[in-house]
Amino acid sequence: MGRGGGMGNPVNVGIAVQADWENREFISNISLNVRRLFDFLLRFEATTKSKLASLNEKLDILERKLEVLEVQVGSATTNPSVFN
Amino acid sequence: MAIPVEEAIAALSTFSLEDEQPDVQGLAVLLSSERYATNSPIEYSDVAAYRLSLGEDTKAINQLNTLIKEGKEMTSLLYTYRSCVKALPQLPDSMKHNQADLYLETYQVLDMEMSHLREIQRWQASAASKLAADMQRFSRPERLVNGPTITHFWSMLKLLDVLLQLDHLKNAKASIPNDFSWYKRTFTQVSTQWQDTDTMREELDDLQIFLSTRWAILLNLHAEMFRTNTVEDILQVLIVFCVESLELDFALLFPERHTLLRVLPVLVVLATSSEKESESLYKRVKINRLLNVFKNDPVIPAFPDLHLSPAAILKELSSYFQNFSSQTRLLALQAPHEIQGRELQDYQRHYLILNHMGTIRADHDDFSIRFASAMDQMIRLKSSDGVYNDWSRDIKGNMYDIVVEGFQLLSRWTGRIWEQCAWKFSRPISDSQQNSMTCFDYEKVVRYNYTAEERRALLELIGYIKSIGLMMQHCDTLVSEALWETIHMEVQDFVQDKLDTMLRTTFRKKKDLSRILSDMRTLSADWMASTSKADPEQHSLHQETEEMRQNTFYPRPVAPTAAQIHCLQFLICELVSGGNLRKVGGLFGNSGSGIPVEDLKQLETFFYKLSFFLHILDYTATIGTLTDLGFLWFREFYLESSRVIQFPIECSLPWMLVGHVIESEDAGLLESILIPFDLYNDSAQHALTSLKQRFLYDEIEAEADLCFDLLAQKLNEIIFTYYKSCAASTLLDSSFTYACDDGDKYFVKPLRFDAIFKLRRVMVLGRTIDLRSIITQRMNKIFRENIDFLLERFENGDLCGVVELQQLLDILELTHQSISRFLELDSYSLMLSEMQENLSLVSYSSRISSQIWSEMQTDFLPNFILCNTTQRFVRSAKGTHHSSHRSSASTGKPYFYCGSHDLTMAYQGLAGLYRDFFGVPHMFAVVKLLGSRSLPAIIRALLDHISSKITGLLPKINALQEALPKSIGLLSFDGGIAGCQKIVHEILTWEAKSEVKTEVLHDLKEIGSALYWMSILDIVLRQIDTTQFMQSAPWLGLVPGNDGQVKHAYSDNTPFTTLLSAASNAVTSSPTCPNPSTFLVMSKQAEAASLLYKSNLNSGSVLEYALAFTSAALDRHYSKWSATPKTGFIDITTSKDFYRIFSGLQYSYLEDSINNPSKKQEMLGDSVAWAGCTIMYLLGQQQHFELFDFSYQFLNVAEVESATVSHYQSSERTKSSNFLQGYEGILEAMRKARRLNNHVFSMLRARCPLEDKVACAIKPSGAPLHRMKFMNTVSAFETLPQRVT
């Protein structure tokens, strides 16, 4: 290795690397937890959508039933003589 | 108070996030697609910190990476280039004077596009010169700088790849030179007014040469590289690197593998551009190794619809690179379209996924199970106290291994799909295979090039890739700590442990090399991790003893940085090569370095592991790349060569896959039906983020929309058909199907739609679609359409079709029931009444009832005749004309009948039995279809019909009466039969009025049919009532009394109300009852229900009511049809009574039917007798008729005569028969008529006793009083509603 290889001061580098590992432990801990947070939000969104969809379905049915009832009542009230 | 992050995050998991939607789709959203490991986010600026003098190298890497990024943009620009010329308008003749303006506009438009091309030309020139300079710089034997590193190699190869792809595209795209020549023409037109156009012209010529020269970019690169003739070294090193990596095939994911395969032929061509060089190359890499690599992969995917073939490239380049043309062995390779015979079969076997499906399936199953169990263990580990020990390390290590395996599986599978595509593109079906019709080239390579099994296999594999990708993606945040920890441990284990061993043994003497080793330790060792938890004193120093050091470090969940891995790889390379790139035999070839084999092995393993770490650290991004199958949609190249704007949807591979699922109706594939939409998602993503072309996205969106619509429709049809078939199969008589020889065909192959019914959020192109609600909506629609279709069908047929209608509606109802178990459909009765148009509360008619009535009026009553014995009406031979003018029933889709064809045929056969008559089964169907709501309307209409017919009869009867003599005596016995016949003929002088006679007969027939119809209805209603009574009696407390009458067991309440009121009392008295009012309501409702049922018990008889009504109608005409005797006593000679007319009619009718058998088609059936007898009975003339009827008298005479004859001539039997000769026919007919009449009369007496009508009283004066009323007789007359007319 004649060509300029090798570390200038391995001891300093070693200390810096050690500090780097520790700093990065903190960083990766934070970033992982942020990711978990977002992961949770994604899942939350997905399940909420499902639940809203099923709620919507129920409302839809009620709405349609109501519509039929309205029509039936309407048909009866427009022609009250039938009942007298 | 601050809450620790971990606790806060852990608290999130307490939320309940159950989701019942199954995973039938791939990834729709990626949490992050950033690459922090494979691409250094800070461009390796941290490398300098390790003081390895890699500054120059890093700079070069960054420069190359920038070029690669730019180059990729250029390639996508070129790939998505679409001809502008085709879109240019032509000027109409009237606007020719504006030609100059058009040229200018055209020029401006084209200039924009051409500026991109100019940019590409400039860029490639600069890229080539930079790459060449870079190579020269790092290939000098004296090597003034450190490098090139492995990362640097990769950057060079990737840039070379980009240049090659760009060149390949430029060659393939014909529209570019086309557009350019147009551009040049407009330029010459436009530039005439400009000054100083020489430089522009020169530039244009330059561009033209660039565009029209094939392989211009590679030629330029070659020229740049060999300007100083010193790059062979690095080229050879690169070739060795490529070949070794490909042969080892460990750390390569498919994109890298394909890059290497693409670049290798070009490298070989560049490196052998002189005799000497090729020799030195083959010294380092045997030519057979190269040939092997090329032969293993004869086609390499380059673009979604464009492949490369090494053989073809070598051949083509040989004409541009003179020196290479001598490499005959390389040039002898076969291009993919030249491969034939056994070799072709071998390649087919290799490329077609179909042939690997068994292994793939096994791999998939095995992997999913192991992955799930590893995940399970991870979760258990997490929930335990989290101590670090061997157990937890094993679990994490296992997780790591499984993730690595998963990546390799995904990479292999996706690579297979790419390669199969490339293979299919290289081998389109021949013209003979395709059935003579013209089709696009694209159809030849895609649409007709995949067999059904191949489609199935492709779909299955895509499903595997997507599901495994999803599975791995879902646990991203759960496993990442374990992965980091394992990687950290691997690295630390190597640098702290293995390197230490090496340092103390092998490298003790070699100062240079041991310095490299200690550098490796310095830059990556994490000493504190091992000391923080164990004894800090012992491990921080280098000199501990062996046993104390082993495996005691506690890894942190922190991964090494990209720069650390980069440096470690560099140092390992330095170590094994001794800094000598020219070393023969490759990187780990073990010659000259003097390192023992075991150490070399360890170094090699670690070296390749390091490069795989990068992929694992980029977990989500790697999964994203490995599961991206969007390329299956793209066809830019074929679009251009076919000169169309876009192919129809049938040519599109994703839709082909959807279509395959629909056509095959394979239960195993149904759940993969949404997988093709992942392809659209992927391709849309690709179009937006890497190709950056809005128009492509728009096209994909349009196609996906269409595809989804079609899918929703087809899916609905499949689901509906399936459940319909099931319903039809259930309703089919099971003993019949059991006895049937081929009864199997009536069983329905089970399918499962549960997963599809649960899809409430399907991700398609970033939109969330509630598939379930779409299916529900369409299902509601399809049910209504079906009902409408059945009603229409019934409206187009005659009344006998009512049984079939009811059958089909029953099937539909059962279908509705079974689908309602999964989907929230509108209620069946609601849909039925909606389609019947009687939703309104005050409407008592419906489509069916009005149809039945109009059919009865126009067809049934006039054209059907009654057979009293079989209780059936059949169509008379004359009455067929009516049905001919009906519009032929429209043939509906098969799922509107019974689903499968076999079942439809079975039901049609069944319904066919009921098609030619009308009887009790039909009446059941009518009652069921009309229900209690519309039945009264029909009855009323029918009664009115009878009454109007009677009124219509009046004048006709009158006319017949007038033709009769004033008085008619008894037939005399003197003349015998012949004499009687003569007398009757004299009396009945109706010859002139035969038309009136026929009309009267027909009217009577209609009245009789209507009455008989009522009697069938009565039978059916009785039966239904009885059933209902039997069901409700125990609840209402009805018990049989002593006198055969129904008795109420309880005075004021029924068992039903007692039960419920007791229950509600018990419930409400208990203090824990939360809501007593509901129970009270329930018991009130029970009372109401029992009242309703009680009042329903004694429903009257329809027939009796009809008879009473008829009687009332007759009463109005009583005086005309029944002459009140002037004397007060019965006048036996009067001819005014109705029975005389009927008697005459009956006689002549019987005689006619005997004398003219040819007129049989005019037979009127038994209903005439029904009408006549009923009218006579209701008029109180039954006994008159029985006494004075001509036929009856005739029979009496015949009887007496035969008796006297036999009395006198008992010995001569032959004579008596001779005597009656010629009269047997008519006598038999008369006897029959008498029997029938007697039957009708006895029925009438039973159902409609008329004491008040037949009763007479003699006044004290001696005058008889006819038709006196007894006030105590319950009479139906009084309850009759009077019609307002």
Side-chain angles (χ1 to χ4, degrees):
Chain A
M1 286 256 300
R3 323 146 317 240
M7 287 181 184
N9 190 345
V11 181
N12 287 347
V13 172
I15 292 169
V17 164
Q18 190 59 57
D20 186 39
W21 278 116
E22 269 143 42
N23 286 336
R24 276 192 293 121
E25 181 171 13
F26 175 70
I27 293 168
S28 49
N29 192 14
I30 290 289
S31 69
L32 180 64
N33 281 322
V34 169
R35 257 164 63 200
R36 281 183 181 153
L37 199 63
F38 276 92
D39 196 36
F40 170 79
L41 286 178
L42 277 183
R43 274 165 215 240
F44 183 72
E45 192 216 6
T47 50
T48 314
K49 267 188 181 149
S50 281
K51 284 172 184 166
L52 282 176
S54 59
L55 190 65
N56 186 33
E57 190 178 26
K58 284 174 189 157
L59 284 176
D60 253 10
I61 294 161
L62 285 178
E63 211 173 86
R64 282 209 301 275
K65 277 187 185 158
L66 203 63
E67 219 166 281
V68 171
L69 287 176
E70 266 173 11
V71 167
Q72 290 192 330
V73 168
S75 75
T77 48
T78 48
N79 198 3
S81 64
V82 190
F83 296 101
N84 300 326
Chain B
M1 199 180 77
I3 304 165
V5 182
E6 281 85 0
E7 270 178 42
I9 297 290
L12 289 180
S13 64
T14 57
F15 279 83
S16 108
L17 291 180
E18 307 95 9
D19 181 12
E20 54 179 26
Q21 168 156 329
D23 292 326
V24 293
Q25 256 201 314
L27 276 175
V29 62
L30 277 178
L31 194 53
S32 115
S33 58
E34 294 295 312
R35 299 170 170 281
Y36 293 113
T38 31
N39 285 345
S40 172
I42 45 170
E43 298 184 325
Y44 297 106
S45 55
D46 46 346
V47 172
Y50 301 112
R51 313 243 175 116
L52 291 171
S53 319
L54 282 171
E56 290 287 330
D57 181 74
T58 311
K59 219 170 107 190
I61 291 173
N62 287 332
Q63 191 188 34
L64 291 181
N65 285 349
T66 320
L67 284 174
I68 292 168
K69 216 175 120 208
E70 288 168 358
K72 281 197 171 145
E73 273 166 28
M74 307 263 170
T75 42
S76 30
L77 193 79
L78 217 51
Y79 177 66
T80 57
Y81 187 86
R82 288 195 184 168
S83 175
C84 294
V85 172
K86 271 190 274 179
L88 290 179
Q90 295 290 319
L91 271 190
D93 285 341
S94 56
M95 291 176 71
K96 280 291 179 211
H97 54 280
N98 287 338
Q99 192 78 28
D101 292 345
L102 179 70
Y103 275 127
L104 190 60
E105 292 288 329
T106 313
Y107 174 77
Q108 279 164 354
V109 169
L110 284 176
D111 194 47
M112 291 275 288
E113 299 300 320
M114 291 305 136
S115 68
H116 292 313
L117 295 183
R118 227 173 275 137
E119 208 177 296
I120 290 174
Q121 186 196 8
R122 260 184 245 125
W123 177 82
Q124 64 84 22
S126 85
S129 70
K130 277 176 189 160
L131 179 62
D134 189 57
M135 284 182 169
Q136 278 161 18
R137 187 143 176 227
F138 285 93
S139 78
R140 302 232 179 90
E142 61 274 23
R143 285 187 72 196
L144 299 172
V145 285
N146 268 344
T149 53
I150 294 293
T151 328
H152 197 162
F153 279 167
W154 271 110
S155 297
M156 286 182 192
L157 291 171
K158 279 179 182 159
L159 183 58
L160 202 57
D161 181 44
V162 168
L163 288 170
L164 167 70
Q165 290 197 355
L166 207 55
D167 220 3
H168 188 47
L169 262 183
K170 185 177 72 65
N171 292 343
K173 283 262 186 177
S175 69
I176 294 172
N178 237 357
D179 275 14
F180 179 77
S181 58
W182 194 274
Y183 171 68
K184 206 174 170 193
R185 212 177 320 149
T186 53
F187 175 73
T188 40
Q189 293 282 341
V190 170
S191 63
T192 45
Q193 287 115 37
W194 300 349
Q195 285 132 29
D196 195 22
T197 53
D198 287 350
T199 47
M200 290 173 86
R201 218 173 283 277
E202 258 174 50
E203 223 175 70
L204 272 186
D205 290 341
D206 232 28
L207 187 56
Q208 186 167 26
I209 291 168
F210 170 68
L211 290 178
S212 55
T213 316
R214 284 179 79 79
W215 303 111
I217 297 175
L218 286 187
L219 285 170
N220 179 40
L221 178 67
H222 181 250
E224 287 283 345
M225 277 182 178
F226 290 89
R227 190 164 289 157
T228 47
N229 208 21
T230 47
V231 293
E232 310 87 41
D233 273 352
I234 193 117
L235 286 178
Q236 288 177 6
V237 171
L238 286 176
I239 290 173
V240 173
F241 178 71
C242 284
V243 174
E244 272 190 356
S245 309
L246 284 172
E247 281 172 352
L248 196 69
D249 197 19
F250 167 70
L252 293 180
L253 297 180
F254 79 89
E256 281 119 46
R257 206 175 93 85
H258 289 167
T259 307
L260 292 183
L261 283 171
R262 280 191 296 258
V263 172
L264 190 58
V266 178
L267 280 176
V268 171
V269 171
L270 289 176
T272 51
S273 39
S274 77
E275 238 7 85
K276 190 181 104 248
E277 289 155 15
S278 60
E279 270 170 38
S280 73
L281 172 66
Y282 297 142
K283 254 183 217 156
R284 300 191 60 175
V285 188
K286 290 270 180 304
I287 190 161
N288 280 339
R289 283 171 78 187
L290 288 175
L291 283 173
N292 256 339
V293 170
F294 292 148
K295 268 190 180 166
N296 278 339
D297 289 273
V299 285
I300 312 153
F303 290 94
D305 60 340
L306 206 56
H307 64 276
L308 271 171
S309 133
I313 289 189
L314 291 174
K315 250 173 234 171
E316 225 192 301
L317 286 179
S318 71
S319 56
Y320 295 94
F321 296 86
Q322 288 310 315
N323 291 321
F324 182 71
S325 52
S326 55
Q327 304 292 328
T328 45
R329 285 194 65 189
L330 287 173
L331 290 178
L333 282 168
Q334 285 179 317
H337 59 273
E338 296 164 351
I339 301 170
Q340 269 162 0
R342 251 198 73 224
E343 249 182 301
L344 175 65
Q345 283 180 351
D346 287 346
Y347 281 125
Q348 289 271 37
R349 202 170 302 139
H350 171 72
Y351 275 112
L352 297 185
I353 292 167
L354 184 62
N355 302 323
H356 304 277
M357 232 28 233
T359 341
I360 290 175
R361 215 171 283 149
D363 283 350
H364 169 261
D365 295 350
D366 177 59
F367 177 76
S368 339
I369 292 166
R370 282 191 295 121
F371 189 84
S373 91
M375 277 308 301
D376 195 43
Q377 282 185 315
M378 279 298 294
I379 292 167
R380 268 202 289 157
L381 179 66
K382 230 182 157 189
S383 59
S384 67
D385 52 354
V387 289
Y388 184 81
N389 54 25
D390 285 351
W391 175 62
S392 77
R393 188 169 36 187
D394 279 352
I395 288 173
K396 286 171 181 169
N398 182 31
M399 194 71 231
Y400 172 84
D401 290 345
I402 292 224
V403 167
V404 171
E405 197 187 326
F407 281 174
Q408 281 169 343
L409 271 183
L410 285 179
S411 161
R412 204 156 61 228
W413 290 345
T414 311
R416 268 203 192 291
I417 294 182
W418 269 99
E419 283 154 22
Q420 171 174 284
C421 270
W423 175 252
K424 290 279 182 193
F425 279 121
S426 75
R427 299 197 65 90
I429 55 157
S430 59
D431 289 332
S432 58
Q433 276 170 291
Q434 135 223 353
N435 26 12
S436 74
M437 53 179 190
T438 51
C439 60
F440 299 121
D441 282 349
Y442 189 64
E443 290 183 302
K444 282 188 198 171
V445 290
V446 177
R447 189 176 175 191
Y448 300 115
N449 215 3
Y450 288 88
T451 63
E453 292 85 51
E454 281 167 4
R455 288 177 202 197
R456 189 186 199 288
L458 184 58
L459 188 65
E460 208 180 327
L461 182 54
I462 293 175
Y464 289 159
I465 292 173
K466 289 289 177 189
S467 67
I468 288 208
L470 186 70
M471 196 164 75
M472 293 179 74
Q473 180 62 51
H474 268 171
C475 57
D476 164 35
T477 52
L478 191 65
V479 297
S480 37
E481 260 180 328
L483 296 181
W484 291 343
E485 228 176 272
T486 315
I487 290 173
H488 183 262
M489 199 193 72
E490 291 257 3
V491 173
Q492 297 310 320
D493 180 54
F494 188 80
V495 294
Q496 294 188 24
D497 230 31
K498 303 233 168 65
L499 283 190
D500 189 55
T501 323
M502 282 187 210
L503 264 176
R504 279 180 295 110
T505 55
T506 322
F507 297 97
R508 190 184 288 258
K509 297 282 157 53
K510 297 169 183 157
K511 268 283 167 278
D512 270 1
L513 296 183
S514 64
R515 221 177 106 204
I516 297 180
L517 290 187
S518 55
D519 278 356
M520 282 165 76
R521 306 187 76 187
T522 315
L523 72 87
S524 60
D526 181 13
W527 304 110
M528 298 304 277
S530 51
T531 56
S532 58
K533 287 167 185 135
D535 189 352
E537 302 300 309
Q538 289 179 322
H539 298 281
S540 57
L541 301 167
H542 291 190
Q543 297 94 355
E544 326 89 16
T545 50
E546 192 89 354
E547 57 268 40
M548 292 178 81
R549 203 174 50 254
Q550 61 181 355
N551 289 339
T552 43
F553 34 72
Y554 291 83
R556 345 169 170 251
V558 184
T561 60
Q564 274 177 320
I565 290 176
H566 167 72
C567 293
L568 280 175
Q569 281 190 325
F570 162 68
L571 288 176
I572 293 174
C573 279
E574 286 289 304
L575 187 68
V576 294
S577 68
N580 184 5
L581 280 175
R582 280 177 179 275
K583 192 169 72 82
V584 184
L587 215 43
F588 296 95
N590 181 34
S591 50
S593 61
I595 304 169
V597 185
E598 301 97 72
D599 288 351
L600 209 57
K601 197 88 205 140
Q602 278 185 345
L603 285 167
E604 186 182 0
T605 319
F606 187 63
F607 176 80
Y608 285 114
K609 261 188 183 168
L610 279 176
S611 47
F612 211 85
F613 286 163
L614 297 173
H615 298 307
I616 292 181
L617 294 178
D618 281 337
Y619 192 81
T620 48
T622 309
I623 292 176
T625 318
L626 292 183
T627 58
D628 178 11
L629 294 165
F631 63 90
L632 289 172
W633 182 84
F634 288 97
R635 53 277 179 107
E636 286 306 301
F637 174 66
Y638 280 89
L639 274 181
E640 192 184 277
S641 65
S642 309
R643 298 176 179 282
V644 289
I645 292 170
Q646 194 49 267
F647 295 119
I649 188 173
E650 294 85 26
C651 302
S652 187
L653 198 55
W655 175 247
M656 277 164 54
L657 297 179
V658 178
H660 176 70
V661 180
I662 291 170
E663 278 159 31
S664 66
E665 293 194 11
D666 187 333
L669 285 183
L670 261 178
E671 293 188 3
S672 323
I673 202 160
L674 286 173
I675 291 290
F677 286 94
D678 284 336
L679 302 184
Y680 285 119
N681 286 344
D682 286 350
S683 52
Q685 178 82 6
H686 188 67
L688 281 182
T689 57
S690 66
L691 295 178
K692 295 188 175 138
Q693 293 296 350
R694 176 63 195 250
F695 73 93
L696 277 176
Y697 176 79
D698 289 343
E699 283 174 6
I700 294 167
E701 193 184 24
E703 194 181 309
D705 284 353
L706 177 61
C707 189
F708 196 85
D709 274 357
L710 284 174
L711 171 73
Q713 190 198 336
K714 299 265 182 193
L715 199 59
N716 256 43
E717 283 176 14
I718 291 180
I719 294 171
F720 188 73
T721 310
Y722 170 70
Y723 283 107
K724 193 110 187 231
S725 310
C726 285
S729 163
T730 319
L731 288 179
L732 209 59
D733 190 0
S734 56
S735 54
F736 157 70
T737 44
Y738 184 72
C740 196
D741 281 339
D742 48 357
D744 283 349
K745 66 182 179 186
Y746 300 124
F747 291 107
V748 184
K749 204 173 55 177
L751 292 178
R752 268 163 54 99
F753 299 99
D754 308 33
I756 293 175
F757 288 144
K758 282 183 191 153
L759 292 174
R760 289 184 198 274
R761 51 186 165 85
V762 173
M763 300 291 286
V764 178
L765 302 187
R767 283 173 289 178
T768 314
I769 298 171
D770 189 348
L771 187 64
R772 183 184 158 92
S773 84
I774 289 180
I775 291 180
T776 315
Q777 270 175 20
R778 284 176 185 253
M779 208 48 99
N780 279 331
K781 196 163 154 264
I782 223 171
F783 268 106
R784 287 182 168 88
E785 277 171 9
N786 201 164
I787 294 173
D788 190 44
F789 170 80
L790 293 180
L791 292 182
E792 217 163 84
R793 205 171 122 82
F794 176 61
E795 280 161 4
N796 283 326
D798 62 13
L799 199 57
C800 304
V802 76
V803 175
E804 187 177 12
L805 174 69
Q806 198 229 322
Q807 254 176 11
L808 292 175
L809 281 176
D810 278 350
I811 294 174
L812 192 65
E813 191 176 0
L814 189 60
T815 313
H816 181 271
Q817 235 174 53
S818 32
I819 297 183
S820 296
R821 268 184 287 146
F822 306 100
L823 295 178
E824 300 283 350
L825 295 179
D826 290 348
S827 81
Y828 178 74
S829 57
L830 181 106
M831 286 197 273
L832 190 64
S833 58
E834 193 181 318
M835 295 323 287
Q836 281 211 69
E837 296 160 12
N838 67 345
L839 206 55
S840 154
L841 280 178
V842 291
S843 141
Y844 297 102
S845 162
S846 67
R847 250 174 99 177
I848 295 182
S849 78
S850 55
Q851 165 66 14
I852 288 179
W853 173 236
S854 76
E855 268 303 306
M856 298 245 320
Q857 216 174 4
T858 57
D859 184 40
F860 178 76
L861 292 176
N863 295 329
F864 277 65
I865 54 174
L866 169 70
C867 172
N868 196 50
T869 322
T870 54
Q871 295 193 316
R872 287 178 177 186
F873 291 91
V874 288
R875 187 178 282 284
S876 71
K878 218 176 78 186
T880 46
H881 69 278
H882 185 74
S883 58
S884 59
H885 67 77
R886 293 172 195 278
S887 61
S888 59
S890 58
T891 46
K893 294 167 186 134
Y895 56 81
F896 280 162
Y897 296 99
C898 307
S900 81
H901 179 255
D902 288 328
L903 284 164
T904 308
M905 293 316 287
Y907 271 92
Q908 272 181 4
L910 213 56
L913 298 177
Y914 297 101
R915 201 165 291 142
D916 296 325
F917 72 96
F918 185 94
V920 175
H922 296 78
M923 195 54 82
F924 268 108
V926 167
V927 169
K928 186 155 185 224
L929 288 172
L930 293 181
S932 55
R933 192 164 166 197
S934 334
L935 202 54
I938 287 261
I939 295 173
R940 180 74 210 193
L942 205 55
L943 291 176
D944 286 346
H945 187 73
I946 292 175
S947 129
S948 72
K949 278 282 164 196
I950 289 173
T951 318
L953 263 179
L954 271 181
K956 297 171 196 164
I957 297 283
N958 212 21
L960 292 179
Q961 276 172 342
E962 276 162 16
L964 287 180
K966 279 275 183 223
S967 95
I968 301 167
L970 288 170
L971 299 186
S972 103
F973 284 65
D974 303 342
I977 301 175
C980 284
Q981 196 174 20
K982 217 178 124 218
I983 298 171
V984 172
H985 280 214
E986 277 167 15
I987 295 169
L988 299 177
T989 50
W990 285 340
E991 285 79 18
K993 304 199 169 179
S994 65
E995 268 179 36
V996 179
K997 202 175 75 183
T998 337
E999 273 176 32
V1000 170
L1001 279 173
H1002 275 276
D1003 283 353
L1004 284 178
K1005 192 201 86 169
E1006 285 199 21
I1007 295 171
S1009 298
L1011 286 169
Y1012 196 81
W1013 200 85
M1014 287 291 186
S1015 87
I1016 299 182
L1017 178 62
D1018 193 48
I1019 294 170
V1020 168
L1021 284 178
R1022 285 274 146 191
Q1023 196 171 330
I1024 292 169
D1025 278 351
T1026 312
T1027 319
Q1028 203 189 344
F1029 175 78
M1030 294 307 288
Q1031 284 165 344
S1032 58
W1035 295 100
L1036 297 176
L1038 302 176
V1039 288
N1042 296 330
D1043 50 352
Q1045 294 298 306
V1046 171
K1047 212 179 79 183
H1048 287 273
Y1050 310 92
S1051 52
D1052 49 349
N1053 48 9
T1054 60
F1056 184 49
T1057 49
T1058 336
L1059 182 71
L1060 277 171
S1061 64
S1064 50
N1065 280 340
V1067 170
T1068 44
S1069 64
S1070 118
T1072 52
C1073 174
N1075 199 0
S1077 65
T1078 45
F1079 290 94
L1080 291 174
V1081 169
M1082 214 157 70
S1083 73
K1084 284 275 171 229
Q1085 280 173 344
E1087 275 168 35
S1090 56
L1091 269 182
L1092 282 174
Y1093 271 92
K1094 258 185 199 168
S1095 67
N1096 248 355
L1097 276 181
N1098 292 314
S1099 55
S1101 151
V1102 178
L1103 181 62
E1104 279 163 25
Y1105 182 81
L1107 289 174
F1109 186 94
T1110 317
S1111 170
L1114 281 172
D1115 277 355
R1116 262 179 273 157
H1117 316 300
Y1118 182 77
S1119 58
K1120 287 180 186 135
W1121 286 359
S1122 177
T1124 323
K1126 293 193 178 70
T1127 56
F1129 291 100
I1130 295 173
D1131 182 2
I1132 59 166
T1133 59
T1134 181
S1135 63
K1136 296 290 174 204
D1137 281 359
F1138 176 78
Y1139 75 88
R1140 287 290 186 192
I1141 307 294
F1142 182 70
S1143 180
L1145 286 173
Q1146 178 177 279
Y1147 181 83
S1148 58
Y1149 171 67
L1150 292 176
E1151 213 175 43
D1152 268 5
S1153 65
I1154 297 300
N1155 294 344
N1156 301 322
S1158 60
K1159 284 173 94 181
K1160 226 171 183 173
Q1161 71 271 20
E1162 285 184 30
M1163 276 185 30
L1164 296 167
D1166 299 339
S1167 32
V1168 178
W1170 270 85
C1173 293
T1174 312
I1175 293 175
M1176 287 185 296
Y1177 178 78
L1178 294 174
L1179 288 172
Q1181 297 173 355
Q1182 182 207 345
Q1183 281 150 0
H1184 295 82
F1185 175 74
E1186 282 173 351
L1187 282 173
F1188 304 125
D1189 179 44
F1190 299 127
S1191 348
Y1192 287 17
Q1193 292 187 44
F1194 204 86
L1195 282 174
N1196 290 345
V1197 172
E1199 213 172 295
V1200 170
E1201 196 166 326
S1202 66
T1204 41
V1205 167
S1206 62
H1207 186 253
Y1208 291 116
Q1209 301 170 345
S1210 55
S1211 54
E1212 298 170 61
R1213 293 194 76 84
T1214 46
K1215 193 133 191 222
S1216 86
S1217 58
N1218 275 346
F1219 178 76
L1220 288 173
Q1221 191 108 55
Y1223 293 104
E1224 292 103 341
I1226 196 155
L1227 287 175
E1228 188 52 42
M1230 283 170 174
R1231 264 181 224 118
K1232 253 190 210 161
R1234 187 163 64 179
R1235 275 201 298 276
L1236 177 60
N1237 291 343
N1238 287 340
H1239 168 79
V1240 177
F1241 282 132
S1242 62
M1243 196 282 298
L1244 287 169
R1245 269 196 302 277
R1247 303 308 297 273
C1248 184
L1250 284 179
E1251 299 92 342
D1252 55 336
K1253 280 195 177 178
V1254 288
C1256 283
I1258 310 258
K1259 285 181 187 168
S1261 63
L1265 184 65
H1266 295 283
R1267 294 180 64 96
M1268 67 162 294
K1269 282 192 182 176
F1270 299 103
M1271 295 316 289
N1272 57 351
T1273 312
V1274 182
S1275 169
F1277 301 106
E1278 282 141 23
T1279 58
L1280 265 186
Q1282 288 306 307
R1283 195 154 182 248
V1284 197
T1285 42

